[in-house]
Amino acid sequence: GAVVSQHPSWVICKSGTSVKIECRSLDFQATTMFWYRQFPKQSLMLMATSNEGSKATYEQGVEKDKFLINHASLTLSTLTVTSAHPEDSSFYICSAASEQGGSEAFFGQGTRLTVV
Amino acid sequence: AQTVTQSQPEMSVQEAETVTLSCTYDTSESDYYLFWYKQPPSRQMILVIRQEAYKQQNATENRFSVNFQKAAKSFSLKISDSQLGDAAMYFCAYRSQYNFNKFYFGSGTKLNVKP
């Protein structure tokens, strides 16, 4: 299957700082990228969907100003957690899909964010 | 809105035996895609199997097969000849064909495989 690279795999930051997570599709053009948040032993909660060159579509209850998503190219999307607080600590996963490649989405390795 | 429900938080199966994981979903759409993803301890999501709603034939991938009941909005996963490497979290997922941005997951089922 296609490869999606997510970086960093883990990050620790101080409360009040911002953290950027990158999601890259390495061997295909991702027309759509999804950002999920996963709490321990729980499911993936869809946070937002981004399409290249367009503003991200956020799910209800997700703060747009807190979780900034940029999808500047067909191979790169970024999630920036602004003014991070301990309650933002979580596992964040991105996935990428190409309509030319079929219906499935390919996942990054995930990022463990810890805010101290 | 579409919802995906997995009613079995945890299941156990003996090695080499068969286990079935349940999934139901709620949608008003007629065309969509359903998936089963596996998440091992590494937390890397891996696609197990995919089903297009317009296809009546159930999808199969080696030891993995589904029982897709469109009218009942049911999509179960059967794992035959279970192996220790099958132990993982399994997530059922729904993707709309009309709005590709809608890609939702169920709560997951933890599968334990006993040697």
Side-chain angles (χ1 to χ4, degrees), chain B residues 76-92:
Chain B
S76 61
L77 173 70
K78 185 171 82 171
I79 305 175
S80 304
D81 186 25
S82 297
Q83 300 176 359
L84 295 177
D86 295 333
M89 284 290 291
Y90 286 82
F91 293 98
C92 177

Side-chain angles (χ1 to χ4, degrees), chain A residues 45-106:
Chain A
M45 182 192 78
L46 180 62
M47 299 174 64
T49 306
S50 69
N51 295 290
E52 187 264 338
S54 302
K55 288 185 178 180
T57 302
Y58 289 81
E59 294 296 302
Q60 193 172 8
V62 177
E63 298 177 62
K64 300 178 182 182
D65 295 333
K66 176 130 188 97
F67 299 100
L68 300 179
I69 291 172
N70 183 275
H71 193 164
S73 76
L74 284 171
T75 59
L76 174 64
S77 177
T78 59
L79 167 67
T80 300
V81 183
T82 62
S83 187
H85 288 93
E87 56 265 31
D88 299 324
S89 298
S90 191
F91 191 70
Y92 294 87
I93 306 177
C94 74
S95 68
S98 165
E99 282 151 29
Q100 290 72 32
S103 59
E104 69 181 281
F106 301 94

